[in-house]
Amino acid sequence: MSRTFSRALVGAAAGLALALGIPLAASAHVTVNPNTATPGSYATVNFRVPTESETASTVKIEVTLPTETPFTAVLVQPVPGWTATVEKGALPAPVEVDGNTISDGPLKIVWQADPGVGIGQDQFQVFSAVLGPVPDTGHVVLPAVQTYSDGEVVNWSATPDEVAADDTLEPAPVLYINDAPPAAGHGASHDTATAAPDDDHDAADASASASSASDDSAGVALGLSIAALVIGIGGAVLGALAFARRPKKA
């Protein structure tokens, strides 16, 4: 019976590991939170950077800013152990912003870890910035490049349309402005929040929308977890039955 019990424990453990692993893997992307903003506002956004490598730590993160609808003001919040730089330069073409013609502006934000510092295994770091004024457009894609201590580079650069066509691509962080953010899933932020509503009615709608997205995400994760546990328990039962049917030695 001890061997049967051991097999049962192995099956249950495998099911539990699968149940925990699926939801975590599904959300381990570089994201921007909140992922919505109001046109004309100065939005405070947080880039959440997890480390997925089992052998290296994250030592650099670069976020490319839009040039067709540029932000004229970009402020970064200091992070202990990291050096933040806002790289500025000429835009591909002059752009009119608030009645002014802009020919240069912020192009990229770079966070570089100091020597001996990094985002280790099973860790994440939040990098905050103020971006504005937010352009009056559908959405803004903010491609991110994540560099690990062993030289590995991950490009989180796929647009929403590209991810819709191929969900194996690495989704870029996206700030939704006039477009509605997608339902929680691959490439969608799990911390969806709207910019300040104009009135109580908008606030109620925003709260209901956020609650619905959260419930949907939680329901998917719970369903996957239950399915994984059922698979694990089924494996344990099959193992026990196989052992029980073995012919006994004389």
Side-chain angles (χ1 to χ4, degrees), residues 124-143:
F124 73 94
Q125 178 67 54
V126 173
F127 300 95
S128 299
V130 172
L131 309 176
V134 174
D136 188 4
T137 187
H139 63 268
V140 172
V141 178
L142 301 167

Side-chain angles (χ1 to χ4, degrees), residues 3 6 40 51 55-57 63 74 85 91 93 96 109 120 123 128 146 162 169 182 200 210 218 229 239 243 247:
R3 184 177 300 178
S6 298
T51 285
T55 58
S57 58
V63 175
V74 176
T85 304
L91 301 175
E96 186 172 322
I109 308 175
Q123 295 180 348
S128 299
Q146 183 177 15
E162 291 171 337
L169 298 176
D200 292 341
L229 286 176
F243 178 76

Side-chain angles (χ1 to χ4, degrees), residues 1 23 119 166 198 225:
M1 292 299 294
I119 308 170
D166 183 357
D198 294 332
S225 298

Side-chain angles (χ1 to χ4, degrees), residues 190-194 204-216:
H190 293 277
D191 292 336
T192 300
T194 55
D205 289 345
S207 176
S209 176
S211 176
S212 176
S214 177
D215 290 345
D216 290 345

Side-chain angles (χ1 to χ4, degrees), residues 70-193:
F71 299 107
T72 57
V74 176
L75 304 175
V76 293
Q77 184 176 36
V79 178
W82 294 75
T83 299
T85 304
V86 179
E87 297 183 0
K88 301 178 181 179
L91 301 175
V95 178
E96 186 172 322
V97 178
D98 290 339
N100 299 312
T101 299
I102 306 298
S103 58
D104 57 81
L107 303 177
K108 183 184 294 186
I109 308 175
V110 180
W111 285 275
Q112 176 71 59
D114 296 341
V117 176
I119 308 170
Q121 291 75 40
D122 302 319
Q123 295 180 348
F124 73 94
Q125 178 67 54
V126 173
F127 300 95
S128 299
V130 172
L131 309 176
V134 174
D136 188 4
T137 187
H139 63 268
V140 172
V141 178
L142 301 167
V145 177
Q146 183 177 15
T147 302
Y148 286 95
S149 56
D150 61 359
E152 180 186 0
V153 175
V154 180
N155 289 288
W156 303 94
S157 58
T159 66
D161 288 342
E162 291 171 337
V163 173
D166 183 357
D167 64 3
T168 64
L169 298 176
E170 308 295 4
V174 179
L175 185 65
Y176 292 90
I177 304 168
N178 293 323
D179 293 342
H186 189 78
S189 169
H190 293 277
D191 292 336
T192 300

Side-chain angles (χ1 to χ4, degrees), residues 224-250:
L224 290 172
S225 298
I226 292 173
L229 286 176
V230 169
I231 292 172
I233 293 172
V237 171
L238 290 175
L241 290 175
F243 178 76
R245 291 177 179 177
R246 291 179 58 186
K248 298 180 179 180
K249 294 183 180 181

